Amino acid sequence: MIKTKIGIVGYGNLGRGVEKGIKLCADMELVGIFTRRDPKNIDSDSPVYNINEILEFKDKIDVLILCGGSANDIPEQAPILAKDFNTVDSFDNHKFIPQYYKKMDEIAKNNENVSVISSGWDPGLFSINRILSEAILPDGENYTFWGKGVSQGHSDAIRRIEGVKSAIQYTIPNQDMIDDIGSGKDVEYESHNAHKRDCYVVLEEGYDEDQIRESIVNMPEYFAGYETTVNFINQDEFDKNHRGMPHGGQVIRRGYTSDENLALYKFSLELGSNPEFTASVNIAYARACHRLALEKKYGAYTVIDIAPIYLSPKSDEEIRKMI
Amino acid sequence: MIKTKIGIVGYGNLGRGVEKGIKLCADMELVGIFTRRDPKNIDSDSPVYNINEILEFKDKIDVLILCGGSANDIPEQAPILAKDFNTVDSFDNHKFIPQYYKKMDEIAKNNENVSVISSGWDPGLFSINRILSEAILPDGENYTFWGKGVSQGHSDAIRRIEGVKSAIQYTIPNQDMIDDIGSGKDVEYESHNAHKRDCYVVLEEGYDEDQIRESIVNMPEYFAGYETTVNFINQDEFDKNHRGMPHGGQVIRRGYTSDENLALYKFSLELGSNPEFTASVNIAYARACHRLALEKKYGAYTVIDIAPIYLSPKSDEEIRKMI
């Protein structure tokens, strides 16, 4: 069994998920967590170092898993770290993936490293299924539904409203539309009619529920145009029932294999913890990343550039028995 | 766009499915159908040739899709044809895949060809999902359910009983068990309690329903141990409602990303026509086969050895925009 030595960069929810996930993998070893904060302030049993020390670990780490955010951290850190390390990230800004790929591919090739970008579930496993299903069923249509799950972006948007103490937003897929797709009925899929939004909000004292509700449901880009429900609750109930980070979703392709015959291809996830599952996907792609580097296949890869066999810790012979 | 010139070997349900599916792919061209029968007796608008003429097409065909049966046709034909052609087959005898892979890999490498073996949905897409989900969620369990769909093997077994004129068997997955898996409950998955069997039978005149029912439900290896329902119907109803070949199924992995959090990974198919969908998968892997051959990556491949990007007719740049 090939052992893969991992470094975690960034210790938020995703970094903690990677730390937990590595413990479930006999072929993985965590060398250390690297943070911009003072290592003394990080609550973890694993070795923790300041990010400035990372180059000292160049020969002790096989793959770095980058656990920062896609808005600022990854675009800044990944191009630098890919010069000295193999990397896996979950850069999730779909629009910028092509140009990010190009940049990382050049750096990784020039420095004889492997960088797996945009791993996770969307982008990630959902991308694989969108592309595979389209290739198999060319006469058809793809539909992606998210939820039921917590959208951090929408929760943050509510929290920015004055008077809001705590808030969480659940994205709920339109089950009627999913059923219609399955039964072959025509649907008009638009993000705003394919999903609705459920909000749970705790107010500071002295603020008016109706006024805050209006601010939420009419918020452009986030809520306007969506069926939105706002539930006001107290802090105790919030802490008791709304501290988890569940998510999930489904990719459906409805295609025709001939004029008479419908084929329904469906991939779905129901996740108790979104960051822990994303971490689990990143760990599997870290395994692939290490192997590609051992085979000197340098450059950048997205999930669709990697054969499934690279993700499994089993030997080729063992895997072929599972086919 | 790379054009792929296809030859079909064998013209049963699967071969007809490939013929239909190619028409949906702008990058595919059908060169001909090759059969052991007299081409004059084949009802098709496509060019049809006797299998003995196939070597004359060595330079006119990029990939042969082998559409014979796994019991006798493929084990006999594939090793011979892989000497002169790139091939795709849907060899589905799981137990023999490792040794079949080894044999085909040697032949394909020695003759500088590419052979994709055991394409389809199970083995095939289901294998990909069993292996991917296990790699991502090491602390978990895989469950495969088949149906609702027609099992040809079980239908054939009923038809071999004296007095049976027509028969079809539908495999039905145990929805209660699927729900229990989803909700985290313990289940005792065994093929015989995870599925039940629904049979529709037309009798010859003068045969006894109760006697035939007993023969079916007690048939060892096929029905004994399963919850089996036998419905006797007349030939008109059979012809009207039971001539299709629907199938489907699902691969579920239930795993834990930490002590607290469950993750449910589910891949499912609902197919109006089993052979047409299997054909559609084979066509996508024929595209991959051709590209691997153009890259001189000779040898045998299963679906898990091929990166998803090889299956799409789109350019790498177009695909990265879909991620």
Side-chain angles (χ1 to χ4, degrees), chain A residues 132 257-258 262 272 276 311 323, chain B residues 127 132 257-258 262 272 276 311:
Chain A
L132 259 185
T257 51
S258 64
L262 193 71
E276 284 180 11
L311 303 183
I323 288 173
Chain B
S127 321
L132 258 185
T257 50
S258 65
L262 194 71
E276 285 179 12
L311 303 183

Side-chain angles (χ1 to χ4, degrees), chain A residues 97-98 101-102 105 109 114-118 124 127-128 131 285 288-289 292 295 297 299-311, chain B residues 291-292 295 297 304-312 314-317 319-320 323:
Chain A
I97 289 174
Y101 169 82
K102 232 172 150 177
D105 191 47
K109 281 198 175 114
V114 172
S115 286
V116 178
I117 69 160
S118 302
S127 320
I128 291 177
I131 288 158
Y285 278 99
C289 178
L292 288 163
E295 294 177 9
K297 294 178 176 164
Y301 293 77
T302 66
V303 295
I304 61 159
D305 301 302
I306 298 174
I309 198 166
Y310 279 96
L311 303 183
Chain B
R291 290 175 180 204
L292 288 163
E295 294 177 9
K297 294 178 175 163
I304 60 157
D305 302 301
I306 298 175
I309 199 167
Y310 279 96
L311 303 183
S312 173
K314 291 187 170 166
S315 71
D316 291 7
E317 288 68 30
I319 294 177
R320 283 210 184 88
I323 289 171

Side-chain angles (χ1 to χ4, degrees), chain A residues 41-52:
Chain A
N41 296 334
I42 299 285
D43 180 25
S44 165
D45 297 332
S46 311
V48 184
Y49 307 95
N50 189 277
I51 184 79
N52 296 325

Side-chain angles (χ1 to χ4, degrees), chain B residues 132-148:
Chain B
L132 258 185
S133 63
E134 185 189 79
I136 291 165
L137 295 168
D139 179 17
E141 203 72 54
N142 273 358
Y143 305 91
T144 302
F145 292 89
W146 293 272
K148 182 187 174 175

Side-chain angles (χ1 to χ4, degrees), chain B residues 154-311:
Chain B
H154 290 80
S155 303
D156 289 345
I158 302 174
R159 282 192 286 265
R160 283 193 294 265
I161 297 172
E162 196 194 311
V164 170
K165 193 173 164 193
S166 306
I168 194 160
Q169 192 262 195
Y170 298 96
T171 304
I172 320 266
N174 180 342
Q175 190 57 47
D176 290 341
M177 187 181 284
I178 294 170
D179 293 342
D180 283 349
I181 292 169
S183 64
K185 273 189 211 157
D186 278 340
V187 299
E188 301 245 355
Y189 175 101
E190 304 273 355
S191 179
H192 72 265
N193 65 11
H195 300 91
K196 53 185 185 173
R197 306 197 172 282
D198 258 19
C199 313
Y200 291 83
V201 178
V202 183
L203 291 189
E204 306 276 7
E205 232 168 277
Y207 284 85
D208 180 59
E209 291 190 357
D210 288 341
Q211 213 177 322
I212 300 267
R213 180 182 286 111
E214 286 304 301
S215 307
I216 294 172
V217 302
N218 296 312
M219 196 187 295
E221 288 189 58
Y222 285 91
F223 294 96
Y226 284 86
E227 184 186 331
T228 302
T229 314
V230 183
N231 308 282
F232 292 99
I233 57 174
N234 63 40
Q235 190 66 46
D236 284 350
E237 192 185 333
F238 189 90
D239 292 340
K240 196 175 149 212
N241 298 327
H242 300 284
R243 284 295 184 191
M245 278 175 287
H247 217 320
Q250 47 197 307
V251 170
I252 304 173
R253 187 165 184 93
R254 182 175 68 184
Y256 289 84
T257 50
S258 65
D259 290 344
E260 304 86 43
N261 289 310
L262 194 71
L264 211 65
Y265 173 118
K266 198 186 275 192
F267 176 75
S268 68
L269 294 171
E270 290 174 40
L271 310 171
S273 165
N274 181 1
E276 285 179 12
F277 185 77
T278 301
S280 302
V281 179
N282 287 353
I283 292 167
Y285 279 98
R287 182 179 293 124
C289 178
H290 185 203
R291 290 175 180 204
L292 288 163
L294 290 174
E295 294 177 9
K296 301 186 192 300
K297 294 178 175 163
Y298 305 124
Y301 293 78
T302 66
V303 295
I304 60 157
D305 302 301
I306 298 175
I309 199 167
Y310 279 96
L311 303 183

